[in-house]
């Protein structure tokens, strides 16, 4: 890893990482804001995260986006300097050097909430079903609650994991939101949900979670954190079950990147034109 220029150096670290759209996104943000930077994909061995980060730092690296499977290790690396969002999420997707130490934040939830608001979703007072109890779900739980959701019901294929997530949530962290848990088969509620979010990776395998029918209230949105050129398996399932609208997670991806850019550069880029560019490219390939 040899720097190719003297520009401020950033990267996305993961394994795999070649597929990441982050370099393209941050290049578009750089052009939009007039903040020159070098941004690259950084492949780390599964057992070599810390060493790869140290080498990046020694070669002038200033900040990292962190993707699978290293968000928990990034949390540990920045444990002494975590944002409140990262502390609650138990995972870090954004690292930056400050006062000669790594600091960490989790911008996934901010990206999701921003995209939901862009889509016209009213989160205050809403009833939300969150499918999945892994890191993706944990990362968005507090930002959703902060928007004033009335209820967040977490369901998972292994119900115990959903109950563990609720039990581990700090007392007082969601004072105005009722958080409950159950199995996939316990996903239903009288009157349906206003918003159903798929926080599992099922769509990557072309499958949908094994959910019961009758989940959606009138005008409800089904949102998949994964994205594709065509509707994902979860989105297709939701349409068949009566969801009024569906959306994928490309806007969330751009939104969380915009929040990272703000942390690093002190300027918040406009996600809208970048999202439009990525959507057009995705549709062209599809």
């Amino acid at each position: 890893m040899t720097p190719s220029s003297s520009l401020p150096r950033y990267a996305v670290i993961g394994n795999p990482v070649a597929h990441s759209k982050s370099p393209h996104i941050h290049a578009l943000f750089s052009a939009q804001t007039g903040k020159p930077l070098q941004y690259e994909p950084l492949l780390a061995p599964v057992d070599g995260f810390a060493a790869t980060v140290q080498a990046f730092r020694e070669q002038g690296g200033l900040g990292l986006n962190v993707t699978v499977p290293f968000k928990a290790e990034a949390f540990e690396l920045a444990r002494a300097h975590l944002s409140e969002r990262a502390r609650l999420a138990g995972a870090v997707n954004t690292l930056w050097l400050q006062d000669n130490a790594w600091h960490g934040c989790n911008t996934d939830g901010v990206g999701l909430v921003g995209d939901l608001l862009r889509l016209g979703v009213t989160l205050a007072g809403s009833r939300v079903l969150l499918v999945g109890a892994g890191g993706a779900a944990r990362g968005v739980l507090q930002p959703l609650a902060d928007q004033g959701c009335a209820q967040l019901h977490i369901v998972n294929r292994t119900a115990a994991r959903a109950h563990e997530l609720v039990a581990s949530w700090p007392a007082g962290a969601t004072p105005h939101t009722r958080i409950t848990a159950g199995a996939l088969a316990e996903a239903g509620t009288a009157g349906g949900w206003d918003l159903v979010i798929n926080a599992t990776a099922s769509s990557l395998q072309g499958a949908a979670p094994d959910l019961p029918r009758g989940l959606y209230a009138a005008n409800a949105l089904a949102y998949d954190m994964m994205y594709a050129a065509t509707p994902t398996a979860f989105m297709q399932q939701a349409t068949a079950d009566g969801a009024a609208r569906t959306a994928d997670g490309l806007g969330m991806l751009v939104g969380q990147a915009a929040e990272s850019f703000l942390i690093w550069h002190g300027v918040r880029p406009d996600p809208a034109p970048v999202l439009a560019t990525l959507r057009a490219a995705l549709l062209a390939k599809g």
Side-chain angles (χ1 to χ4, degrees):
M1 298 180 295
T2 302
S4 60
S5 75
S6 59
L7 294 175
R9 190 167 180 233
Y10 298 85
V12 54
I13 185 170
N15 187 328
V17 76
H19 68 286
S20 175
K21 297 188 182 301
S22 292
H24 188 201
I25 292 171
H26 283 272
L28 292 171
F29 286 161
S30 173
Q32 180 191 116
T33 61
K35 290 283 187 180
L37 56 87
Q38 177 186 352
Y39 190 108
E40 64 202 270
L42 188 59
L43 178 65
V46 172
D47 60 352
F49 172 76
T52 304
V53 171
Q54 181 61 26
F56 176 76
R57 175 178 178 175
E58 290 171 356
Q59 295 169 16
L62 300 175
L64 288 159
N65 285 128
V66 184
T67 187
V68 174
F70 298 125
K71 292 183 181 183
E73 288 187 69
F75 180 92
E76 293 302 326
L77 184 67
R79 180 177 280 276
H81 305 284
L82 294 170
S83 70
E84 183 67 3
R85 294 193 303 229
R87 187 184 67 80
L88 287 170
V92 160
N93 77 337
T94 305
L95 289 166
W96 68 98
L97 277 174
Q98 182 178 328
D99 300 326
N100 207 36
W102 287 112
H103 291 238
C105 187
N106 190 304
T107 67
D108 286 333
V110 175
L112 172 64
V113 167
D115 199 38
L116 291 172
L117 296 178
R118 176 187 69 85
L119 292 165
V121 176
T122 300
L123 290 171
S126 64
R127 295 174 298 172
V128 180
L129 176 67
L130 190 58
V131 184
R138 187 178 183 93
V140 303
L141 188 55
Q142 188 64 41
L144 286 170
D146 286 342
Q147 292 296 310
C149 298
Q151 182 179 5
L152 280 167
H153 185 51
I154 304 165
V155 293
N156 194 62
R157 183 171 56 85
T158 304
R161 290 196 67 191
H163 287 287
E164 288 166 5
L165 176 53
V166 172
S168 69
W169 208 248
T174 56
H176 305 296
T177 303
R178 178 172 174 246
I179 300 182
T180 54
L184 294 179
E186 300 170 311
T189 190
W193 301 99
D194 303 307
L195 172 64
V196 179
I197 301 171
N198 181 25
T200 77
S202 61
S203 292
L204 293 179
Q205 286 77 48
D210 188 16
L211 293 167
R213 294 185 61 82
L215 292 180
Y216 295 90
N219 301 316
L221 171 70
Y223 189 98
D224 197 338
M225 287 191 186
M226 302 295 108
Y227 62 88
T230 57
T232 66
F234 168 76
M235 293 164 67
Q236 295 175 45
Q237 177 196 67
T239 298
D241 191 31
R245 295 188 296 154
T246 63
D248 71 11
L250 190 63
M252 175 182 173
L253 175 69
V254 177
Q256 64 82 23
E259 190 71 12
S260 295
F261 195 94
L262 171 64
I263 290 170
W264 291 337
H265 307 291
V267 176
R268 184 186 294 279
D270 181 2
V274 176
L275 175 58
T277 297
L278 263 65
R279 181 67 71 189
L282 193 63
L283 291 173
K285 287 183 179 180

